[in-house]
């Protein structure tokens, strides 16, 4: 398949990646002739921008720190038929790009996820692989879509995916938001294996296992509240009702035995908790109707954009 008839843009987020970014740019240009590579320099202090420009990339600067802010800016600024997102740390095999792009076109699909396959045993930092698997299972269970590598930084998108994606995350949670966006709009998504290796010597990961893990977990909970309100508020309401029953059942049993309410404060608290739990569940039902209306509007906006042909 001749890819030259498509306008393909690669987005490379970078922060202090001078040791790696030139290799990423060169590999992308060699893998997909005619591709336009945009390197977004995110407050680098090591000459990343100059190295990327010398390698042939169009360099733009995002002065608000965070990968999510870079993607938010890039998706708004860049006009193309097909978008490639790849981290600038030279850990992904950029020569897999043509396969991912052809997969998108052949579908046609709107999102192709590059599932990382380790080329070396040390490619994943300690704890990252286990954390990724845990988040994959959690998101799959909550949102009903199995995903193998939701934290992958190598993806290919159609134009209508990019222009319908709100991109509200600010940092590394952006990959989670991308995955959930696929679920909420029910866009066509497929996965393809991509090589994943060690970072260049002297380069360090910006990820903090626990800090960024907590941010991702908070985002999952936030998206669960927005996208699955019946489940979110139903769980909370059920716990509140259960607490009310634990407090109230002994009071009811005493009343059955004696005909008296011996613990009136407990009875009053139990009644409040049960009522509050029921109201919480009803809030979830109301918000579910709002969510469906929002999804319909987003879907219509998505359908108004042309598919890859």
């Amino acid at each position: 398949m001749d890819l030259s008839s498509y306008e393909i843009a690669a987005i490379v987020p970078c922060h202090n990646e001078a040791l790696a970014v030139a290799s990423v740019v060169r590999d992308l240009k060699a893998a997909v002739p005619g591709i336009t590579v945009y390197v977004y320099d995110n407050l680098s202090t090591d000459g990343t921008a100059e190295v990327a420009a010398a390698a042939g990339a169009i360099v733009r600067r995002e002065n608000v720190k965070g990968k999510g802010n870079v993607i938010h800016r890039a998706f708004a600024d860049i006009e193309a038929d097909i978008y490639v997102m790849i981290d600038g740390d030279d850990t992904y095999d950029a020569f897999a790009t043509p396969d991912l792009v052809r997969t998108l076109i052949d579908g046609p699909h709107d999102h192709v996820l590059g599932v990382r396959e380790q080329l070396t045993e040390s490619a994943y930092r300690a704890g990252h692989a286990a954390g990724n698997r845990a988040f994959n299972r959690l998101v799959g269970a909550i949102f009903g879509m199995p995903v193998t590598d939701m934290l992958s930084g190598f993806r290919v998108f159609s134009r209508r995916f990019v222009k319908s994606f709100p991109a509200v995350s600010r940092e590394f949670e952006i990959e989670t938001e991308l995955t959930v966006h696929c679920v909420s709009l029910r866009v066509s998504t497929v996965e393809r294996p991509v090589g994943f290796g060690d970072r260049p010597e002297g380069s360090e990961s910006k990820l903090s296992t626990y800090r960024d893990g907590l941010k991702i977990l908070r985002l999952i909970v936030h998206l669960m509240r927005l996208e699955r309100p019946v489940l979110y508020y139903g769980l909370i309401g059920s716990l509140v009702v259960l607490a009310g029953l634990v407090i109230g059942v002994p009071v009811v049993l005493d009343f059955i035995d004696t005909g008296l309410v011996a613990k009136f404060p407990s009875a009053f608290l139990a009644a409040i908790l049960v009522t509050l739990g029921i109201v919480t569940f009803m809030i979830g039902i109301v918000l579910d109707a709002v969510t469906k209306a929002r999804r319909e509007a987003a879907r219509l906006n998505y359908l108004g954009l042309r598919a890859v042909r």
Side-chain angles (χ1 to χ4, degrees):
M1 179 188 298
D2 182 14
L3 300 182
S4 61
S5 59
Y6 296 91
E7 188 175 356
I8 304 173
I11 301 166
V12 185
C14 283
H15 172 68
N16 289 340
E17 302 288 3
L19 295 171
V21 67
S23 177
V24 176
V25 174
R26 286 193 297 265
D27 289 350
L28 285 169
K29 286 182 168 292
V32 187
I35 192 172
T36 304
V37 181
Y38 295 86
V39 169
Y40 276 80
D41 180 30
N42 195 209
L43 300 174
S44 295
T45 57
D46 66 345
T48 292
E50 291 75 14
V51 172
I58 297 173
V59 177
R60 293 177 176 173
R61 288 174 170 81
E62 172 53 53
N63 295 321
V64 181
K65 191 175 181 180
K67 184 177 180 180
N69 292 315
V70 168
I71 299 304
H72 177 87
R73 165 91 180 276
F75 279 11
D77 290 352
I78 298 172
E79 298 294 332
D81 299 318
I82 297 169
Y83 298 75
V84 178
M85 184 185 83
I86 184 170
D87 289 343
D89 56 10
D90 200 23
T91 54
Y92 293 91
D93 178 15
F95 286 95
T97 304
D99 176 59
L100 270 61
V101 171
R102 290 189 179 98
T103 299
L104 184 91
I105 296 169
D106 288 342
H109 302 291
D110 290 300
H111 176 228
V112 180
L113 174 65
V115 177
R116 290 171 285 184
E117 292 191 342
Q118 294 188 85
L119 301 177
T120 62
E121 292 185 3
S122 57
Y124 272 111
R125 281 176 57 188
H128 282 193
N132 190 26
R133 287 194 297 270
F135 283 132
N136 290 336
R137 295 191 189 101
L138 179 61
V139 168
I142 292 174
F143 298 101
M145 185 186 83
V147 60
T148 305
D149 190 7
M150 64 172 248
L151 300 182
S152 173
F154 191 7
R155 302 167 186 246
V156 175
F157 311 101
S158 68
R159 174 181 171 80
R160 65 180 181 180
F161 182 102
V162 166
K163 296 305 180 182
S164 66
F165 178 62
V168 298
S169 300
R170 297 180 180 274
E171 298 185 16
F172 285 97
E173 321 93 281
I174 187 70
E175 283 94 356
T176 305
E177 188 184 357
L178 285 165
T179 300
V180 175
H181 182 68
C182 293
V183 179
S184 62
L185 275 190
R186 289 182 293 169
V187 302
S188 178
T189 300
V190 293
E191 298 179 344
R192 285 292 181 272
V194 296
F196 183 66
D198 292 313
R199 299 174 67 92
E201 186 175 353
S203 176
E204 295 182 359
S205 174
K206 283 76 178 177
L207 284 172
S208 170
T209 302
Y210 299 107
R211 183 195 64 201
D212 291 310
L214 287 173
K215 287 181 180 179
I216 292 169
L217 185 59
R218 284 200 301 268
L219 178 66
I220 291 173
V221 173
H222 173 68
L223 292 173
M224 176 183 172
R225 180 175 63 84
L226 293 177
E227 301 295 336
R228 300 291 306 277
V230 171
L231 177 61
Y232 179 84
Y233 289 99
L235 286 174
I236 295 175
S238 297
L239 291 174
V240 174
V241 169
L242 181 61
L245 293 175
V246 169
I247 296 172
V249 166
V251 177
V252 173
L253 293 177
D254 285 344
F255 178 76
I256 293 174
D257 289 338
T258 65
L260 300 172
V261 179
K263 299 177 180 178
F264 183 77
S266 295
F268 185 68
L269 177 60
I272 290 177
L273 288 174
V274 171
T275 302
L276 183 60
I278 294 172
V279 169
T280 302
F281 182 74
M282 295 303 297
I283 290 173
I285 293 176
V286 173
L287 290 179
D288 185 58
V290 175
T291 297
K292 288 180 179 179
R294 175 172 54 79
R295 283 179 183 166
E296 289 173 0
R299 180 73 179 176
L300 290 173
N301 177 63
Y302 160 81
L303 293 174
L305 300 166
R306 62 180 174 83
V308 176
R309 293 184 176 85

